[in-house]
Amino acid sequence: MALGFAGEVADFYHRYRRGYPPAVFDAVVAAFGLTSDDVAVDLGCGTGQVTVPLAERVRAVVGVDPEPDMLAHARRAAADRGVANVGWVIGTDADVPALRAVLGDGSVGAVTIGQALHWMRHDDLFTSVLPLVRHGGGVAVLTNGTPLWLQDSDWSRALRECLEQWLGTRAGNACGTDEESQERYRESLTAAGFGTSAHHVDYTGTLDVESIVGGVLSALPVDRLPRPEERPAFADRVRRALEPHAPFTEHVRVTVLTGRRDT
């Protein structure tokens, strides 16, 4: 599966994608009673924003992503933090049956999916994951706030207009963070045999123009990235659109949607 998150996009993703507050991992641990004896799988792990901190709370984590460039960044991030109990696998949600064959049914305490489920066939995924997780374990779907261009603020609306003018298309993709998508995921988890619940972690942060531009570039596929010679003009255009609306405060709601296997 080629999603376009290779090369420079992986670099931007590693540098600018925000991580998750510790309270998010507290919620995942509490939902499934995770201990230092558990193994977890992080699907669509990207550059390790979930994988690495989760590994500090369990015995081991398997990070799975289709992009080798993403995994290379994730591996370096783990090494930088001295985290050695992570294995990295090139793969997608379609490879869960193979993981079951390697790890064994009932062997995993949690399968986490951080801001990546919108790229996956979630109905098939949840059905195939159920036998993999132990009793009391399950799936945690994490959405790390609304995309920068869809927030309820003047600067976000200015960013959205700027992007639509530059790209020549509507910037309306909520990346699975909207309530309609969350309800679909909840229903799909229930249909697969999981008991569901949701936990929210809220925080407020202030961004600068560089981090906003970097965040946008991390979300664009390689073929839509501004060419290197165009990027100063792109950044300047975003800066001029946003400056009247400073400071760039965002109110982030992290949703931890969990499906627990109780039978």
Side-chain angles (χ1 to χ4, degrees):
M1 183 188 301
L3 301 180
F5 289 101
E8 289 182 292
V9 175
D11 298 339
F12 289 126
Y13 199 104
H14 171 69
R15 183 173 179 183
Y16 293 107
R17 284 294 178 106
R18 57 182 173 237
Y20 295 80
V24 171
F25 300 99
D26 293 341
V28 174
V29 168
F32 307 125
L34 298 179
T35 72
S36 58
D37 291 327
D38 275 303
V39 172
V41 174
D42 186 26
L43 282 178
C45 67
T47 56
Q49 283 87 350
V50 173
T51 326
V52 175
L54 182 61
E56 297 172 338
R57 297 168 179 255
V58 295
R59 178 162 60 91
V61 181
V62 179
V64 181
D65 199 273
E67 289 291 356
D69 292 340
M70 288 285 209
L71 293 178
H73 278 294
R75 186 178 290 109
R76 287 193 291 272
D80 288 345
R81 286 178 60 161
V83 174
N85 58 331
V86 180
W88 307 101
V89 176
I90 297 174
T92 73
D93 51 302
D95 295 306
V96 167
L99 285 174
R100 287 175 52 195
V102 172
L103 298 175
D105 284 350
S107 62
V108 169
V111 174
T112 55
I113 307 163
Q115 203 76 26
L117 190 56
H118 56 293
W119 295 111
M120 304 178 186
R121 298 178 182 271
H122 58 271
D123 291 332
D124 295 338
L125 170 62
F126 295 152
T127 299
S128 65
V129 159
L130 184 67
L132 177 64
V133 299
R134 61 164 171 75
H135 296 297
V139 180
V141 179
L142 312 179
T143 55
N144 202 4
T146 304
L148 295 171
W149 53 89
L150 289 178
Q151 298 183 20
D152 185 19
S153 65
D154 289 339
W155 69 261
S156 180
R157 284 184 281 272
L159 175 64
R160 182 163 64 252
E161 181 179 354
C162 180
L163 291 178
E164 290 176 343
Q165 291 174 353
W166 181 277
L167 297 171
T169 187
R170 182 173 176 269
N173 190 348
C175 304
T177 64
D178 56 291
E179 185 53 41
E180 181 180 347
S181 295
Q182 290 291 300
E183 183 59 30
R184 284 202 313 273
Y185 301 155
R186 196 176 296 114
E187 291 173 355
S188 184
L189 282 166
T190 300
F194 292 98
T196 65
S197 63
H199 182 85
H200 301 289
V201 176
D202 296 285
Y203 66 93
T204 299
T206 301
L207 303 171
D208 56 23
V209 173
E210 178 187 352
S211 60
I212 292 172
V213 171
V216 169
L217 295 178
S218 78
L220 293 175
V222 172
D223 61 353
R224 299 302 301 275
L225 272 181
R227 293 189 299 272
E229 64 272 19
E230 296 176 329
R231 287 177 202 162
F234 175 75
D236 185 62
R237 188 166 179 170
V238 172
R239 178 187 58 77
R240 285 186 283 107
L242 296 185
E243 275 185 345
H245 309 291
F248 314 122
T249 301
E250 61 170 352
H251 304 284
V252 181
R253 164 158 283 197
V254 181
T255 298
V256 183
L257 173 62
T258 58
R260 179 183 166 101
R261 181 183 177 184
D262 291 322
T263 58

